[in-house]
Amino acid sequence: MRIVSGIQPTGNLHLGNYLGAIRNWVKMQDEVAARGGQSLYFLADLHAISQPHVPAELRENTLAMTAALVACGIDPARSVLFNQAQVPMHAELQWLLSGTARMGWLNRMTQWKDKAGKNREGQSVALFTYPVLQAADVLLYQATHVPVGEDQKQHLELARDIAQKFNNDFGTEDVPVFTLPEPIIPPEAARIMSLRDGSAKMSKSDPSDMSRINLTDDTDTIMAKIKKAKTDPEPLPSDKVGLEGRAEAANLVGIYAAMAGTSVDAVLNEFGGHGFGKFKPALGELLVESLAPIGARFMELRQDREALDAILARGALKARELAGPTLAAVYAALGLVR
Ligand code: TYM
């Protein structure tokens, strides 16, 4: 087993990242170690330059996100933790895969369509070819499993398509160049929605901070955000079916279930028939209780720049070592003389 996944260091870690992906990273790190496999987690700083950014902020955010991942439980001694920019083979493989990826495939990516909107002509080339870099990220390490939230599923399918076509075009029948990676998407928290709008995903690019819970939010902020979260006037239903058509209620119940490590039905069993006046404070307290230790650890780790730099340098060294054989095989398969 080889687990690989990444996160953009574009701002604060929020509850969607945590429940959709990072918590699974931590869980898999242990499972994989027990089976003698390897997990690699990285800061996708190369992806971050596909949209306008401030260089000094990117550097700070990369260090902050490293601290956040360690605070959540990623152990740099057991997982390879690094940033893409220190492993140039990601960018190198992206170019090599660009001969295989098709324009039509990239044109169909919903994230490209959403982010580009009506102004496709004005977007960076990097925003369009972003999924090819993402494919390189996982194929470079022969990833078998990629833990992500629902929104990354399509990018993972593209990575599989690229790997399949490359294997067909340049591999030999018994020696494929790339492993086809499987996405791992959590059942209860695959898509955490905004606290202000149940039809939009919780995201760091939402201009309203009230739309998300950040890992670093203090107790009062978390309680206030949950109190102000959009809901409807009905009490909670006693089963899942009753949440249909109630996106905001379904989101809050889903967050509760994911955070408590239980099912939506179990939460409704407890709170069905009660209004949000009772449910919201319980949810707020559960979040505070679960996130406070992570927030405190983050604040501590964030101070020690040298330690964070050292973690990333060590991780990059290991990542370069693991990436070497695959990259060499790709050059050879393409007939490139090195
Ligand atoms: P990013 O940085 O947007 O998000 C990091 C992880 O968090 C998950 N996530 C969510 N899950 C549930 N609900 C939400 N509201 C929510 N918001 C974010 C994402 O699905 C993701 O797993 N392109 C990727 C980073 C990346 C990557 C990769 C991931 C680059 N290369 C290779 C996997 C493998 C991204 O921007 O994720």
Side-chain angles (χ1 to χ4, degrees), residues 195-228:
L195 299 178
R196 309 299 291 162
D197 172 3
S199 67
K201 74 171 179 185
M202 186 178 284
S203 155
K204 40 199 157 201
S205 51
D206 192 315
S208 166
D209 195 56
M210 293 303 281
S211 70
R212 62 186 159 257
I213 304 281
N214 302 306
L215 186 82
T216 46
D217 285 345
D218 60 23
T219 302
D220 291 348
T221 309
I222 293 178
M223 294 308 275
K225 284 179 176 178
I226 294 296
K227 193 170 169 203
K228 293 221 173 75

PDB file of all heavy atoms in Angstrom, residues 195-228:
ATOM      1  N   LEU A 195     -21.474  27.054   6.213  1.00  0.00           N
ATOM      2  CA  LEU A 195     -22.442  27.266   7.298  1.00  0.00           C
ATOM      3  C   LEU A 195     -23.495  28.310   6.909  1.00  0.00           C
ATOM      4  O   LEU A 195     -24.502  28.462   7.569  1.00  0.00           O
ATOM      5  CB  LEU A 195     -21.716  27.729   8.566  1.00  0.00           C
ATOM      6  CG  LEU A 195     -20.673  26.772   9.157  1.00  0.00           C
ATOM      7  CD1 LEU A 195     -20.010  27.387  10.384  1.00  0.00           C
ATOM      8  CD2 LEU A 195     -21.309  25.430   9.523  1.00  0.00           C
ATOM      9  N   ARG A 196     -23.217  29.053   5.835  1.00  0.00           N
ATOM     10  CA  ARG A 196     -24.141  30.116   5.411  1.00  0.00           C
ATOM     11  C   ARG A 196     -25.020  29.697   4.244  1.00  0.00           C
ATOM     12  O   ARG A 196     -25.975  30.383   3.910  1.00  0.00           O
ATOM     13  CB  ARG A 196     -23.354  31.385   5.001  1.00  0.00           C
ATOM     14  CG  ARG A 196     -22.341  31.855   6.006  1.00  0.00           C
ATOM     15  CD  ARG A 196     -22.956  32.236   7.332  1.00  0.00           C
ATOM     16  NE  ARG A 196     -23.764  33.438   7.254  1.00  0.00           N
ATOM     17  CZ  ARG A 196     -24.662  33.792   8.166  1.00  0.00           C
ATOM     18  NH1 ARG A 196     -24.883  32.994   9.204  1.00  0.00           N
ATOM     19  NH2 ARG A 196     -25.346  34.896   8.033  1.00  0.00           N
ATOM     20  N   ASP A 197     -24.626  28.600   3.560  1.00  0.00           N
ATOM     21  CA  ASP A 197     -25.344  28.213   2.347  1.00  0.00           C
ATOM     22  C   ASP A 197     -25.140  26.710   2.118  1.00  0.00           C
ATOM     23  O   ASP A 197     -24.053  26.276   1.737  1.00  0.00           O
ATOM     24  CB  ASP A 197     -24.790  29.040   1.165  1.00  0.00           C
ATOM     25  CG  ASP A 197     -25.339  28.580  -0.177  1.00  0.00           C
ATOM     26  OD1 ASP A 197     -26.186  27.667  -0.206  1.00  0.00           O
ATOM     27  OD2 ASP A 197     -24.912  29.140  -1.201  1.00  0.00           O
ATOM     28  N   GLY A 198     -26.195  25.957   2.359  1.00  0.00           N
ATOM     29  CA  GLY A 198     -26.100  24.498   2.283  1.00  0.00           C
ATOM     30  C   GLY A 198     -25.861  23.952   0.896  1.00  0.00           C
ATOM     31  O   GLY A 198     -25.678  22.752   0.719  1.00  0.00           O
ATOM     32  N   SER A 199     -25.840  24.854  -0.128  1.00  0.00           N
ATOM     33  CA  SER A 199     -25.602  24.347  -1.485  1.00  0.00           C
ATOM     34  C   SER A 199     -24.170  24.616  -1.952  1.00  0.00           C
ATOM     35  O   SER A 199     -23.780  24.231  -3.046  1.00  0.00           O
ATOM     36  CB  SER A 199     -26.594  24.991  -2.470  1.00  0.00           C
ATOM     37  OG  SER A 199     -26.314  26.370  -2.566  1.00  0.00           O
ATOM     38  N   ALA A 200     -23.362  25.304  -1.102  1.00  0.00           N
ATOM     39  CA  ALA A 200     -21.970  25.602  -1.486  1.00  0.00           C
ATOM     40  C   ALA A 200     -21.042  24.866  -0.537  1.00  0.00           C
ATOM     41  O   ALA A 200     -21.308  24.790   0.664  1.00  0.00           O
ATOM     42  CB  ALA A 200     -21.713  27.106  -1.396  1.00  0.00           C
ATOM     43  N   LYS A 201     -19.931  24.337  -1.063  1.00  0.00           N
ATOM     44  CA  LYS A 201     -19.055  23.588  -0.150  1.00  0.00           C
ATOM     45  C   LYS A 201     -18.276  24.545   0.752  1.00  0.00           C
ATOM     46  O   LYS A 201     -18.015  25.689   0.380  1.00  0.00           O
ATOM     47  CB  LYS A 201     -18.118  22.655  -0.928  1.00  0.00           C
ATOM     48  CG  LYS A 201     -16.999  23.330  -1.633  1.00  0.00           C
ATOM     49  CD  LYS A 201     -15.997  22.321  -2.200  1.00  0.00           C
ATOM     50  CE  LYS A 201     -14.919  23.136  -2.909  1.00  0.00           C
ATOM     51  NZ  LYS A 201     -13.928  22.413  -3.622  1.00  0.00           N
ATOM     52  N   MET A 202     -17.947  24.063   1.947  1.00  0.00           N
ATOM     53  CA  MET A 202     -17.112  24.859   2.845  1.00  0.00           C
ATOM     54  C   MET A 202     -15.752  25.012   2.183  1.00  0.00           C
ATOM     55  O   MET A 202     -15.165  24.026   1.741  1.00  0.00           O
ATOM     56  CB  MET A 202     -16.973  24.159   4.200  1.00  0.00           C
ATOM     57  CG  MET A 202     -16.237  25.004   5.228  1.00  0.00           C
ATOM     58  SD  MET A 202     -16.115  24.200   6.854  1.00  0.00           S
ATOM     59  CE  MET A 202     -17.772  24.416   7.492  1.00  0.00           C
ATOM     60  N   SER A 203     -15.284  26.259   2.084  1.00  0.00           N
ATOM     61  CA  SER A 203     -14.086  26.490   1.287  1.00  0.00           C
ATOM     62  C   SER A 203     -13.284  27.665   1.839  1.00  0.00           C
ATOM     63  O   SER A 203     -13.853  28.593   2.411  1.00  0.00           O
ATOM     64  CB  SER A 203     -14.538  26.782  -0.147  1.00  0.00           C
ATOM     65  OG  SER A 203     -13.587  27.546  -0.822  1.00  0.00           O
ATOM     66  N   LYS A 204     -11.960  27.583   1.643  1.00  0.00           N
ATOM     67  CA  LYS A 204     -11.147  28.696   2.133  1.00  0.00           C
ATOM     68  C   LYS A 204     -11.278  29.921   1.235  1.00  0.00           C
ATOM     69  O   LYS A 204     -10.896  31.014   1.609  1.00  0.00           O
ATOM     70  CB  LYS A 204      -9.687  28.304   2.335  1.00  0.00           C
ATOM     71  CG  LYS A 204      -9.088  27.403   1.307  1.00  0.00           C
ATOM     72  CD  LYS A 204      -7.827  26.712   1.831  1.00  0.00           C
ATOM     73  CE  LYS A 204      -7.552  25.440   1.062  1.00  0.00           C
ATOM     74  NZ  LYS A 204      -6.718  24.484   1.731  1.00  0.00           N
ATOM     75  N   SER A 205     -11.828  29.723   0.027  1.00  0.00           N
ATOM     76  CA  SER A 205     -11.954  30.890  -0.860  1.00  0.00           C
ATOM     77  C   SER A 205     -13.266  31.638  -0.649  1.00  0.00           C
ATOM     78  O   SER A 205     -13.472  32.704  -1.227  1.00  0.00           O
ATOM     79  CB  SER A 205     -11.785  30.479  -2.328  1.00  0.00           C
ATOM     80  OG  SER A 205     -12.627  29.402  -2.629  1.00  0.00           O
ATOM     81  N   ASP A 206     -14.152  31.139   0.219  1.00  0.00           N
ATOM     82  CA  ASP A 206     -15.385  31.886   0.507  1.00  0.00           C
ATOM     83  C   ASP A 206     -15.015  33.178   1.234  1.00  0.00           C
ATOM     84  O   ASP A 206     -14.301  33.145   2.247  1.00  0.00           O
ATOM     85  CB  ASP A 206     -16.297  31.026   1.392  1.00  0.00           C
ATOM     86  CG  ASP A 206     -17.701  31.600   1.508  1.00  0.00           C
ATOM     87  OD1 ASP A 206     -17.816  32.825   1.713  1.00  0.00           O
ATOM     88  OD2 ASP A 206     -18.666  30.834   1.396  1.00  0.00           O
ATOM     89  N   PRO A 207     -15.473  34.347   0.728  1.00  0.00           N
ATOM     90  CA  PRO A 207     -15.085  35.608   1.372  1.00  0.00           C
ATOM     91  C   PRO A 207     -15.587  35.730   2.819  1.00  0.00           C
ATOM     92  O   PRO A 207     -14.984  36.447   3.620  1.00  0.00           O
ATOM     93  CB  PRO A 207     -15.707  36.693   0.483  1.00  0.00           C
ATOM     94  CG  PRO A 207     -16.585  35.996  -0.498  1.00  0.00           C
ATOM     95  CD  PRO A 207     -16.269  34.539  -0.490  1.00  0.00           C
ATOM     96  N   SER A 208     -16.663  35.038   3.177  1.00  0.00           N
ATOM     97  CA  SER A 208     -17.173  35.157   4.544  1.00  0.00           C
ATOM     98  C   SER A 208     -16.548  34.105   5.466  1.00  0.00           C
ATOM     99  O   SER A 208     -16.724  32.909   5.267  1.00  0.00           O
ATOM    100  CB  SER A 208     -18.698  34.992   4.551  1.00  0.00           C
ATOM    101  OG  SER A 208     -19.130  34.778   5.878  1.00  0.00           O
ATOM    102  N   ASP A 209     -15.860  34.599   6.510  1.00  0.00           N
ATOM    103  CA  ASP A 209     -15.252  33.668   7.467  1.00  0.00           C
ATOM    104  C   ASP A 209     -16.328  32.946   8.282  1.00  0.00           C
ATOM    105  O   ASP A 209     -16.071  31.887   8.855  1.00  0.00           O
ATOM    106  CB  ASP A 209     -14.287  34.439   8.389  1.00  0.00           C
ATOM    107  CG  ASP A 209     -13.360  33.488   9.145  1.00  0.00           C
ATOM    108  OD1 ASP A 209     -12.665  32.687   8.480  1.00  0.00           O
ATOM    109  OD2 ASP A 209     -13.351  33.523  10.390  1.00  0.00           O
ATOM    110  N   MET A 210     -17.539  33.520   8.323  1.00  0.00           N
ATOM    111  CA  MET A 210     -18.640  32.881   9.058  1.00  0.00           C
ATOM    112  C   MET A 210     -19.114  31.598   8.359  1.00  0.00           C
ATOM    113  O   MET A 210     -19.876  30.825   8.925  1.00  0.00           O
ATOM    114  CB  MET A 210     -19.828  33.840   9.176  1.00  0.00           C
ATOM    115  CG  MET A 210     -19.575  35.050  10.042  1.00  0.00           C
ATOM    116  SD  MET A 210     -19.062  34.589  11.714  1.00  0.00           S
ATOM    117  CE  MET A 210     -20.657  34.174  12.437  1.00  0.00           C
ATOM    118  N   SER A 211     -18.654  31.385   7.123  1.00  0.00           N
ATOM    119  CA  SER A 211     -19.097  30.208   6.364  1.00  0.00           C
ATOM    120  C   SER A 211     -18.350  28.953   6.770  1.00  0.00           C
ATOM    121  O   SER A 211     -18.724  27.859   6.393  1.00  0.00           O
ATOM    122  CB  SER A 211     -18.882  30.454   4.871  1.00  0.00           C
ATOM    123  OG  SER A 211     -17.484  30.454   4.587  1.00  0.00           O
ATOM    124  N   ARG A 212     -17.237  29.122   7.513  1.00  0.00           N
ATOM    125  CA  ARG A 212     -16.420  27.940   7.837  1.00  0.00           C
ATOM    126  C   ARG A 212     -15.911  27.977   9.268  1.00  0.00           C
ATOM    127  O   ARG A 212     -15.808  29.036   9.882  1.00  0.00           O
ATOM    128  CB  ARG A 212     -15.220  27.846   6.866  1.00  0.00           C
ATOM    129  CG  ARG A 212     -14.293  29.035   6.979  1.00  0.00           C
ATOM    130  CD  ARG A 212     -13.171  29.079   5.968  1.00  0.00           C
ATOM    131  NE  ARG A 212     -12.724  30.464   5.903  1.00  0.00           N
ATOM    132  CZ  ARG A 212     -13.023  31.319   4.941  1.00  0.00           C
ATOM    133  NH1 ARG A 212     -13.718  30.924   3.888  1.00  0.00           N
ATOM    134  NH2 ARG A 212     -12.642  32.576   5.004  1.00  0.00           N
ATOM    135  N   ILE A 213     -15.580  26.792   9.780  1.00  0.00           N
ATOM    136  CA  ILE A 213     -14.903  26.675  11.068  1.00  0.00           C
ATOM    137  C   ILE A 213     -13.433  26.442  10.752  1.00  0.00           C
ATOM    138  O   ILE A 213     -13.095  25.494  10.032  1.00  0.00           O
ATOM    139  CB  ILE A 213     -15.435  25.469  11.878  1.00  0.00           C
ATOM    140  CG1 ILE A 213     -16.945  25.542  12.086  1.00  0.00           C
ATOM    141  CG2 ILE A 213     -14.667  25.304  13.180  1.00  0.00           C
ATOM    142  CD1 ILE A 213     -17.397  26.471  13.169  1.00  0.00           C
ATOM    143  N   ASN A 214     -12.569  27.305  11.266  1.00  0.00           N
ATOM    144  CA  ASN A 214     -11.130  27.120  11.072  1.00  0.00           C
ATOM    145  C   ASN A 214     -10.551  26.387  12.268  1.00  0.00           C
ATOM    146  O   ASN A 214     -11.026  26.541  13.401  1.00  0.00           O
ATOM    147  CB  ASN A 214     -10.429  28.471  10.944  1.00  0.00           C
ATOM    148  CG  ASN A 214     -10.993  29.277   9.794  1.00  0.00           C
ATOM    149  OD1 ASN A 214     -11.048  28.810   8.665  1.00  0.00           O
ATOM    150  ND2 ASN A 214     -11.460  30.487  10.100  1.00  0.00           N
ATOM    151  N   LEU A 215      -9.504  25.666  11.973  1.00  0.00           N
ATOM    152  CA  LEU A 215      -8.816  24.921  13.022  1.00  0.00           C
ATOM    153  C   LEU A 215      -8.359  25.823  14.169  1.00  0.00           C
ATOM    154  O   LEU A 215      -8.291  25.408  15.317  1.00  0.00           O
ATOM    155  CB  LEU A 215      -7.596  24.283  12.360  1.00  0.00           C
ATOM    156  CG  LEU A 215      -6.764  23.346  13.153  1.00  0.00           C
ATOM    157  CD1 LEU A 215      -7.438  21.991  13.121  1.00  0.00           C
ATOM    158  CD2 LEU A 215      -5.383  23.247  12.543  1.00  0.00           C
ATOM    159  N   THR A 216      -8.066  27.070  13.834  1.00  0.00           N
ATOM    160  CA  THR A 216      -7.522  27.990  14.834  1.00  0.00           C
ATOM    161  C   THR A 216      -8.592  28.856  15.493  1.00  0.00           C
ATOM    162  O   THR A 216      -8.265  29.717  16.307  1.00  0.00           O
ATOM    163  CB  THR A 216      -6.482  28.923  14.172  1.00  0.00           C
ATOM    164  OG1 THR A 216      -7.043  29.390  12.945  1.00  0.00           O
ATOM    165  CG2 THR A 216      -5.193  28.188  13.882  1.00  0.00           C
ATOM    166  N   ASP A 217      -9.852  28.674  15.159  1.00  0.00           N
ATOM    167  CA  ASP A 217     -10.906  29.474  15.794  1.00  0.00           C
ATOM    168  C   ASP A 217     -10.957  29.182  17.300  1.00  0.00           C
ATOM    169  O   ASP A 217     -10.831  28.024  17.716  1.00  0.00           O
ATOM    170  CB  ASP A 217     -12.277  29.131  15.183  1.00  0.00           C
ATOM    171  CG  ASP A 217     -12.458  29.743  13.805  1.00  0.00           C
ATOM    172  OD1 ASP A 217     -11.672  30.648  13.443  1.00  0.00           O
ATOM    173  OD2 ASP A 217     -13.382  29.313  13.090  1.00  0.00           O
ATOM    174  N   ASP A 218     -11.151  30.237  18.105  1.00  0.00           N
ATOM    175  CA  ASP A 218     -11.247  29.994  19.547  1.00  0.00           C
ATOM    176  C   ASP A 218     -12.682  29.594  19.922  1.00  0.00           C
ATOM    177  O   ASP A 218     -13.591  29.610  19.080  1.00  0.00           O
ATOM    178  CB  ASP A 218     -10.751  31.207  20.352  1.00  0.00           C
ATOM    179  CG  ASP A 218     -11.562  32.445  20.051  1.00  0.00           C
ATOM    180  OD1 ASP A 218     -12.725  32.307  19.604  1.00  0.00           O
ATOM    181  OD2 ASP A 218     -11.050  33.568  20.254  1.00  0.00           O
ATOM    182  N   THR A 219     -12.862  29.263  21.194  1.00  0.00           N
ATOM    183  CA  THR A 219     -14.160  28.751  21.666  1.00  0.00           C
ATOM    184  C   THR A 219     -15.316  29.689  21.314  1.00  0.00           C
ATOM    185  O   THR A 219     -16.333  29.261  20.752  1.00  0.00           O
ATOM    186  CB  THR A 219     -14.105  28.556  23.197  1.00  0.00           C
ATOM    187  OG1 THR A 219     -13.045  27.654  23.469  1.00  0.00           O
ATOM    188  CG2 THR A 219     -15.399  27.995  23.743  1.00  0.00           C
ATOM    189  N   ASP A 220     -15.146  30.985  21.626  1.00  0.00           N
ATOM    190  CA  ASP A 220     -16.243  31.933  21.379  1.00  0.00           C
ATOM    191  C   ASP A 220     -16.580  32.000  19.895  1.00  0.00           C
ATOM    192  O   ASP A 220     -17.751  32.078  19.511  1.00  0.00           O
ATOM    193  CB  ASP A 220     -15.847  33.342  21.866  1.00  0.00           C
ATOM    194  CG  ASP A 220     -15.770  33.375  23.385  1.00  0.00           C
ATOM    195  OD1 ASP A 220     -16.244  32.398  24.020  1.00  0.00           O
ATOM    196  OD2 ASP A 220     -15.216  34.355  23.927  1.00  0.00           O
ATOM    197  N   THR A 221     -15.539  31.991  19.062  1.00  0.00           N
ATOM    198  CA  THR A 221     -15.769  32.088  17.612  1.00  0.00           C
ATOM    199  C   THR A 221     -16.525  30.859  17.102  1.00  0.00           C
ATOM    200  O   THR A 221     -17.490  30.982  16.330  1.00  0.00           O
ATOM    201  CB  THR A 221     -14.414  32.222  16.866  1.00  0.00           C
ATOM    202  OG1 THR A 221     -13.674  33.268  17.482  1.00  0.00           O
ATOM    203  CG2 THR A 221     -14.602  32.505  15.397  1.00  0.00           C
ATOM    204  N   ILE A 222     -16.103  29.686  17.545  1.00  0.00           N
ATOM    205  CA  ILE A 222     -16.791  28.458  17.092  1.00  0.00           C
ATOM    206  C   ILE A 222     -18.257  28.484  17.529  1.00  0.00           C
ATOM    207  O   ILE A 222     -19.166  28.255  16.728  1.00  0.00           O
ATOM    208  CB  ILE A 222     -16.092  27.188  17.648  1.00  0.00           C
ATOM    209  CG1 ILE A 222     -14.697  27.058  17.023  1.00  0.00           C
ATOM    210  CG2 ILE A 222     -16.936  25.926  17.384  1.00  0.00           C
ATOM    211  CD1 ILE A 222     -13.875  25.881  17.525  1.00  0.00           C
ATOM    212  N   MET A 223     -18.491  28.834  18.806  1.00  0.00           N
ATOM    213  CA  MET A 223     -19.874  28.854  19.311  1.00  0.00           C
ATOM    214  C   MET A 223     -20.705  29.881  18.531  1.00  0.00           C
ATOM    215  O   MET A 223     -21.851  29.607  18.170  1.00  0.00           O
ATOM    216  CB  MET A 223     -19.908  29.169  20.814  1.00  0.00           C
ATOM    217  CG  MET A 223     -19.276  28.096  21.706  1.00  0.00           C
ATOM    218  SD  MET A 223     -19.865  26.405  21.475  1.00  0.00           S
ATOM    219  CE  MET A 223     -21.312  26.337  22.487  1.00  0.00           C
ATOM    220  N   ALA A 224     -20.109  31.038  18.253  1.00  0.00           N
ATOM    221  CA  ALA A 224     -20.848  32.087  17.530  1.00  0.00           C
ATOM    222  C   ALA A 224     -21.157  31.654  16.099  1.00  0.00           C
ATOM    223  O   ALA A 224     -22.262  31.885  15.584  1.00  0.00           O
ATOM    224  CB  ALA A 224     -20.042  33.390  17.533  1.00  0.00           C
ATOM    225  N   LYS A 225     -20.184  31.015  15.447  1.00  0.00           N
ATOM    226  CA  LYS A 225     -20.407  30.596  14.054  1.00  0.00           C
ATOM    227  C   LYS A 225     -21.506  29.536  13.965  1.00  0.00           C
ATOM    228  O   LYS A 225     -22.333  29.559  13.053  1.00  0.00           O
ATOM    229  CB  LYS A 225     -19.112  30.047  13.444  1.00  0.00           C
ATOM    230  CG  LYS A 225     -18.116  31.145  13.067  1.00  0.00           C
ATOM    231  CD  LYS A 225     -16.841  30.533  12.487  1.00  0.00           C
ATOM    232  CE  LYS A 225     -15.886  31.628  12.017  1.00  0.00           C
ATOM    233  NZ  LYS A 225     -14.624  31.068  11.502  1.00  0.00           N
ATOM    234  N   ILE A 226     -21.511  28.620  14.917  1.00  0.00           N
ATOM    235  CA  ILE A 226     -22.545  27.576  14.898  1.00  0.00           C
ATOM    236  C   ILE A 226     -23.907  28.186  15.231  1.00  0.00           C
ATOM    237  O   ILE A 226     -24.921  27.883  14.608  1.00  0.00           O
ATOM    238  CB  ILE A 226     -22.192  26.422  15.880  1.00  0.00           C
ATOM    239  CG1 ILE A 226     -20.924  25.695  15.395  1.00  0.00           C
ATOM    240  CG2 ILE A 226     -23.349  25.441  16.036  1.00  0.00           C
ATOM    241  CD1 ILE A 226     -21.067  24.983  14.046  1.00  0.00           C
ATOM    242  N   LYS A 227     -23.914  29.111  16.187  1.00  0.00           N
ATOM    243  CA  LYS A 227     -25.178  29.771  16.564  1.00  0.00           C
ATOM    244  C   LYS A 227     -25.784  30.508  15.363  1.00  0.00           C
ATOM    245  O   LYS A 227     -26.989  30.475  15.127  1.00  0.00           O
ATOM    246  CB  LYS A 227     -24.900  30.748  17.707  1.00  0.00           C
ATOM    247  CG  LYS A 227     -26.141  31.243  18.383  1.00  0.00           C
ATOM    248  CD  LYS A 227     -25.822  32.014  19.648  1.00  0.00           C
ATOM    249  CE  LYS A 227     -27.089  32.710  20.130  1.00  0.00           C
ATOM    250  NZ  LYS A 227     -26.786  33.868  20.969  1.00  0.00           N
ATOM    251  N   LYS A 228     -24.907  31.169  14.588  1.00  0.00           N
ATOM    252  CA  LYS A 228     -25.391  31.947  13.435  1.00  0.00           C
ATOM    253  C   LYS A 228     -25.553  31.106  12.174  1.00  0.00           C
ATOM    254  O   LYS A 228     -26.003  31.616  11.146  1.00  0.00           O
ATOM    255  CB  LYS A 228     -24.395  33.077  13.137  1.00  0.00           C
ATOM    256  CG  LYS A 228     -24.336  34.148  14.222  1.00  0.00           C
ATOM    257  CD  LYS A 228     -24.253  35.549  13.589  1.00  0.00           C
ATOM    258  CE  LYS A 228     -24.356  36.654  14.627  1.00  0.00           C
ATOM    259  NZ  LYS A 228     -23.124  36.821  15.419  1.00  0.00           N
TER     260      LYS A 228
END
